[in-house]
Amino acid sequence: MELPPETVLVFDQEEDLIVFESFAHATNYLEAMDVSEGEYTAAYSPEGRVLVLTAPEGPEGRVVLTRTARSDRADLERRVARYWRRHQMGRSPRDPLRTARFLMDRDNRPRAGWLSRVTALLRGNR
């Protein structure tokens, strides 16, 4: 199960998990105000490398994501397990790599537009 080389797993205060395909995707999506206010509690590579989110220019600036030399696979696994218990109830927990792949696949799945959903309802296809 290959993941893009710069995959990023970001945890927030509600123990939710956002997975990004790259550092660029993460820093373009995350807001400096949220980073400054501590909304995100941890960031990791899928292997457990600790990443640091900062907003060096303040709440209106840009978000910077930095690699560290530190690795904490155990904390990543604990956070992923909590994510599954809290946000994926009834589903079997997965390891960090499979969780990242699961979330990336889910978030990249094409969604039907409103017109096709209405048409399907009118035709009786649910």
Side-chain angles (χ1 to χ4, degrees):
M1 166 185 333
E2 277 298 306
L3 290 173
E6 287 197 331
T7 299
V8 178
L9 291 83
V10 177
F11 296 88
D12 68 14
Q13 291 179 352
E14 275 83 46
E15 298 176 348
D16 202 356
L17 170 59
I18 310 168
V19 177
F20 299 98
E21 293 183 25
S22 70
F23 281 37
H25 284 96
T27 58
N28 287 332
Y29 177 85
L30 300 173
E31 294 182 12
M33 179 181 292
D34 293 335
V35 171
S36 294
E37 292 176 357
E39 173 64 25
Y40 304 107
T41 58
Y44 289 95
S45 71
E47 300 80 27
R49 177 69 47 120
V50 176
L51 307 173
V52 176
L53 284 166
T54 58
E57 299 161 5
E60 300 300 320
R62 62 191 171 90
V63 172
V64 175
L65 183 60
T66 308
R67 289 179 181 87
T68 70
R70 220 172 110 237
S71 187
D72 195 344
R73 176 79 181 190
D75 186 56
L76 172 60
E77 289 174 352
R78 277 191 297 276
R79 288 175 183 272
V80 166
R82 279 195 308 260
Y83 163 80
W84 281 93
R85 281 193 306 273
R86 187 162 184 178
H87 299 284
Q88 296 290 338
M89 290 179 274
R91 293 187 173 192
S92 299
R94 300 176 186 179
D95 65 39
L97 289 171
R98 289 185 180 173
T99 297
R101 175 53 55 204
F102 166 77
L103 292 174
M104 288 172 67
D105 290 347
R106 181 197 69 185
D107 293 343
N108 290 324
R109 190 176 322 136
R111 295 192 174 129
W114 69 271
L115 183 58
S116 61
R117 289 193 304 265
V118 169
T119 303
L121 285 172
L122 292 172
R123 290 184 179 155
N125 303 338
R126 295 179 187 214

